[in-house]
Amino acid sequence: VQVLLDTLTASSLLFVVALGLLMVFGVLKIINFAHVAFLTLGAYASVVTTRWGVSPWLAFLVAPLAGAALGVVVERLVIRRLYSRPMDTVLATWGLTIVMTQLIILLYGNGPQFVNTPDLGTVRIADFAYSGFRIAVVAVALMLGLGLALLMRRTDLGLRSRAVIMNEELASVLGINTERVRMVTFTLGCALAAFAGAMLAPLGSVDPNLGLPWLITAFMLALIAGGSLGGLAVAAVLFGAVQTLMSTYGDATLAAPLVVIVAVLVLRVRPQGFQFA
Amino acid sequence: MTMRPLMRFAVSISALAAVSLVAACGGSSGGDEGSDEQGPIDVGFVVPQTGAISVLSPPAIEVAKLAVEEINSAGGIGGRDLRMQIFDDASDTDGGLKAYTNMVHKAGVDAIIALENSDSRNAGVPIAEKAGTPVIYAVTYEGGACAENLFIDGETPEQFVQPVIDVAGKRGVKSWFIIGSDIAYGRGQVEAAKRYIDEAGGSVVKEETLPLDVTDWGPVLSSIKAADPDAVFFAYLGGTPNVGFHKQYVDSGLTAPIYSVSLDEATATAVGKAAEGVTYAGSYFTGLENKANKDFLAALERKFGADHQTPSSISVPTYDAFHLYAAAVEKAGSADAEDVLAALPEVSFDGPRGKVQMSEQHHAVLPIYVAEVQGDGGTEVVEEFGAVDPGEQCPDL
């Protein structure tokens, strides 16, 4: 049971962290390296709530709002101009990460920040204790996943973005404002990234490079997911399982490289990833 | 000193790079080099102001400034002022190389005092060695670093790891889970810990060596749960990573006590309640009841105000290092590198830690204490070991 729970929580964390990247990758077909910076930005929401002395729960509201606001600006100023040059967006978003990280350093200093975060304590499940925070992450991952799935399937916006994903030119000819779809998606992606960042803050302290270690994992997840939500869920569970099983029954040191090997193998067998949704 | 061929190659490359750098600088910097008998004595202080262990630098910079002020207001060293320049090593190997190259070949400092991780030290010290510049490494480390120009006043494993294992043994700890970081410091301390655990008749149920950027400790915590040890030995890295580890450890419901060689008093305060019950050793704690410590704390408050940084066994060796260097220059009667290096093995300093005595093997005999973190993040000493010998670190020097 313990191992199962570990797998579930590890997968949920990965899912939440990669969600924003996947949204942008799926619709805009670009890898948003600024995802890292938005993760960090979200985590700094908890620094802000700590400084204001308000409830640490507010961070989960402040983070996505700030992420969305900045996301709109970035889309207008940078991303929009580079839609036809996907390779350049890699460079541009990476540059954006550097700029945002430096801005955060200017505002809050280079050092780590010790923040107040919601303390969920330990939950007793059956006969063992388990981190309440980790259980909450599972719930959040499920809610976000289902919410986005509904958004894509049941709403007009979802329909339009799926049209853009399938065939952008055709969608455009049919009168869908593809620019608008892209802007909304990018903004949503940034908000999700910032929200995920807020969820990372309780794991430890917050520093300007907080997002960095997560980038590669999120990137691999998005690639393996092949741009679909269901795919991301499968990929996250796969990664989480490999990580947990390897650390529990083997060696945590080997778990990290093993995840990469698994990613390569999956892409070898299924170059399109787990795309089916 | 023996070097593996690869290491020798690396050293010659860095020497080559250093030589070409000097050549590129031309004659303009030549005038600054060597020691003019007039003017201030230049000391380069290298600390990680950025990167993974940057949290360690603010307290160290405060105590360094205090030491320099004390030395200068007492008339300097032999009538010459001590001037400190601060260099950032970015917490990594590359940064260490750059910082040492700048200090030795650009700033032309008379001596170097270093608070940094072992990888940065290993990268940088050979540059200073070629130039004959004295280096005082002022923080605990894994032991066995030897060079003609290198002196160390931080704790060795004999002074830092053994006392912790000792205290654990007395409390009945038999089986250990060891967590180490995949850097020279982590690997060295883990090796030392295994030796002492073995000597004490304990056993290691599992050992994990982790990369430095762990943010989700979940997998390791699961591994600890599965292994069910009496205690956990944590040899990762000072500063920030402790926060995540201890927070997640408590959240996961694990109760096995943690014996750490990564924690210091300042970080423990920042981690707070999550670090309650963690046991760790050190040569300095703010609660020490000696006069020098009381004066030291009062001086810190006078200079930096009531909200000054918490000094700890990580930062106080830096304070001592400045005073030890001043004592060596005083004794040698000059700031010439050769004279200072000859004097350093014999100097001592009575500071906040108690008496720090440099040894022939370039390490320091230190008073050692083992302490435990309290519920409010404060630290209380639980056992005093008195003056502990650094052990046989460099029998060839």
Side-chain angles (χ1 to χ4, degrees):
Chain A
V1 183
Q2 173 101 42
V3 175
L4 222 81
L5 211 55
D6 281 339
T7 307
L8 200 61
T9 54
S11 312
S12 304
L13 200 59
L14 291 171
F15 182 78
V16 174
V17 168
L19 203 53
L21 192 71
L22 180 92
M23 284 290 293
V24 175
F25 179 59
V27 178
L28 279 73
K29 304 282 183 297
I30 59 167
I31 286 291
N32 177 20
F33 274 106
H35 191 70
V36 193
F38 280 96
L39 281 174
T40 313
L41 180 87
Y44 269 78
S46 58
V47 175
V48 172
T49 55
T50 303
R51 292 214 175 163
W52 288 348
V54 294
S55 160
W57 290 101
L58 267 182
F60 295 105
L61 192 66
V62 175
L65 287 180
L70 201 63
V72 174
V73 176
V74 165
E75 203 274 343
R76 293 245 150 182
L77 290 180
V78 184
I79 308 295
R80 175 164 297 189
R81 294 162 207 279
L82 296 172
Y83 279 142
S84 52
R85 292 144 61 192
M87 281 317 284
D88 294 350
T89 52
V90 170
L91 212 59
T93 50
W94 184 244
L96 195 66
T97 298
I98 297 173
V99 172
M100 282 175 67
T101 307
Q102 289 304 323
L103 282 177
I104 288 173
I105 291 175
L106 277 178
L107 280 173
Y108 296 102
N110 204 353
Q113 310 271 343
F114 302 103
V115 294
N116 298 328
T117 47
D119 186 7
L120 295 175
T122 354
V123 180
R124 288 209 73 83
I125 297 171
D127 55 342
F128 57 87
Y130 205 81
S131 159
F133 171 74
R134 290 187 160 261
I135 303 285
V137 173
V138 179
V140 168
L142 282 177
M143 278 192 308
L144 282 180
L146 288 177
L148 277 179
L150 282 178
L151 187 76
M152 291 300 267
R153 303 239 158 238
R154 294 286 150 87
T155 66
D156 204 34
L157 172 72
L159 190 66
R160 281 163 205 264
S161 28
R162 277 187 293 147
V164 175
I165 294 175
M166 279 174 196
N167 189 329
E168 197 180 332
E169 271 178 41
L170 198 58
S172 161
V173 168
L174 288 172
I176 292 174
N177 186 346
T178 55
E179 276 206 354
R180 199 188 172 82
V181 170
R182 294 180 134 174
M183 189 185 82
V184 173
T185 316
F186 188 81
T187 308
L188 194 60
C190 291
L192 284 170
F195 183 78
M199 300 227 33
L200 292 178
L203 284 176
S205 58
V206 176
D207 68 75
N209 293 314
L210 172 132
L212 214 50
W214 294 94
L215 177 69
I216 302 296
T217 323
F219 178 61
M220 282 193 300
L221 279 169
L223 275 188
I224 292 189
S228 79
L229 260 178
L232 182 63
V234 175
V237 169
L238 181 71
F239 274 37
V242 169
Q243 215 176 58
T244 312
L245 292 177
M246 195 61 204
S247 333
T248 312
Y249 299 113
D251 192 326
T253 320
L254 289 179
L258 197 65
V259 164
V260 183
I261 294 170
V262 169
V264 171
L265 287 180
V266 168
L267 286 178
R268 176 69 190 83
V269 180
R270 282 183 70 95
Q272 74 279 37
F274 293 123
Q275 184 165 24
F276 51 73
Chain B
M1 172 162 180
T2 54
M3 275 189 197
R4 276 168 295 159
L6 193 67
M7 183 67 185
R8 197 187 294 273
F9 175 71
V11 169
S12 36
I13 289 288
S14 48
L16 203 70
V19 166
S20 50
L21 195 102
V22 170
C25 289
S28 60
S29 72
D32 286 350
E33 299 220 15
S35 58
D36 36 10
E37 288 304 320
Q38 305 302 315
I41 298 171
D42 282 308
V43 174
F45 179 39
V46 52
V47 275
Q49 289 178 290
T50 55
I53 54 171
S54 56
V55 66
L56 302 180
S57 79
I61 289 174
E62 274 193 9
V63 299
K65 284 181 176 162
L66 179 64
V68 172
E69 184 191 88
E70 284 171 357
I71 291 165
N72 288 339
S73 63
I77 315 171
R80 296 171 67 190
D81 265 359
L82 195 154
R83 188 169 65 183
M84 169 175 71
Q85 295 178 55
I86 298 175
F87 294 82
D88 176 23
D89 74 4
S91 307
D92 64 21
T93 315
D94 222 29
L97 276 176
K98 283 182 197 148
Y100 276 79
T101 307
N102 280 336
M103 285 189 289
V104 172
H105 297 292
K106 254 186 171 161
V109 297
D110 295 298
I112 293 168
I113 289 171
L115 190 177
E116 51 188 355
N117 80 43
S118 296
D119 289 329
S120 307
R121 181 200 63 237
N122 290 341
V125 166
I127 297 172
E129 194 180 6
K130 285 271 171 192
T133 312
V135 177
I136 304 181
Y137 181 68
V139 70
T140 180
Y141 85 118
E142 69 282 1
C146 304
E148 288 296 336
N149 69 322
L150 179 64
F151 286 80
I152 290 160
D153 77 339
E155 301 91 337
T156 61
E158 280 80 351
Q159 297 165 318
F160 207 52
V161 180
Q162 196 167 20
V164 171
I165 303 289
D166 202 54
V167 167
K170 284 181 201 159
R171 291 174 179 174
V173 173
K174 288 264 174 278
S175 62
W176 290 87
F177 189 105
I178 296 185
I179 301 173
S181 55
D182 193 9
I183 50 170
Y185 178 73
R187 289 192 175 272
Q189 296 294 54
V190 166
E191 280 316 306
K194 286 201 287 197
R195 211 165 55 233
Y196 299 131
I197 288 171
D198 195 44
E199 281 169 17
S203 65
V204 177
V205 283
K206 200 169 176 193
E207 178 191 340
E208 295 274 14
T209 308
L210 301 170
L212 268 192
D213 58 357
V214 175
T215 39
D216 179 9
W217 293 90
V220 189
L221 298 177
S222 313
S223 186
I224 299 177
K225 270 186 198 167
D228 193 26
D230 289 345
V232 174
F233 181 78
F234 188 62
Y236 194 66
L237 187 69
T240 331
N242 287 290
V243 186
F245 175 71
H246 291 297
K247 261 191 181 177
Q248 292 178 41
Y249 190 89
V250 170
D251 277 352
S252 74
L254 278 163
T255 50
I258 300 173
Y259 291 81
S260 176
V261 291
S262 312
L263 200 61
D264 65 277
E265 203 170 339
T267 308
T269 314
V271 179
K273 180 137 187 62
E276 183 177 3
V278 177
T279 305
Y280 63 110
S283 54
Y284 178 81
F285 291 97
T286 49
L288 296 185
E289 293 283 338
N290 64 62
K291 184 176 179 307
N293 183 37
K294 292 194 169 138
D295 292 347
F296 169 71
L297 289 173
L300 267 182
E301 189 161 335
R302 173 182 49 72
K303 190 165 166 62
F304 299 103
D307 57 345
H308 66 79
Q309 304 275 336
T310 309
S312 71
S313 62
I314 301 283
S315 65
V316 176
T318 294
Y319 175 83
D320 287 358
F322 276 91
H323 283 288
L324 286 165
Y325 175 70
V329 175
E330 201 82 53
K331 187 176 168 70
S334 95
D336 268 351
E338 269 181 45
D339 301 339
V340 172
L341 288 177
L344 266 171
E346 285 151 30
V347 295
S348 68
F349 175 66
D350 260 309
R353 294 196 282 176
K355 186 174 181 187
V356 176
Q357 172 70 53
M358 272 297 166
S359 78
E360 279 301 321
Q361 292 188 19
H362 293 198
H363 285 67
V365 179
L366 300 169
I368 295 295
Y369 313 85
V370 169
E372 202 174 293
V373 183
Q374 307 297 305
D376 60 353
T379 293
E380 263 174 38
V381 173
V382 292
E383 192 161 339
E384 292 190 20
F385 282 76
V388 177
D389 194 83
E392 293 284 312
Q393 298 302 334
C394 307
D396 297 338
L397 283 173

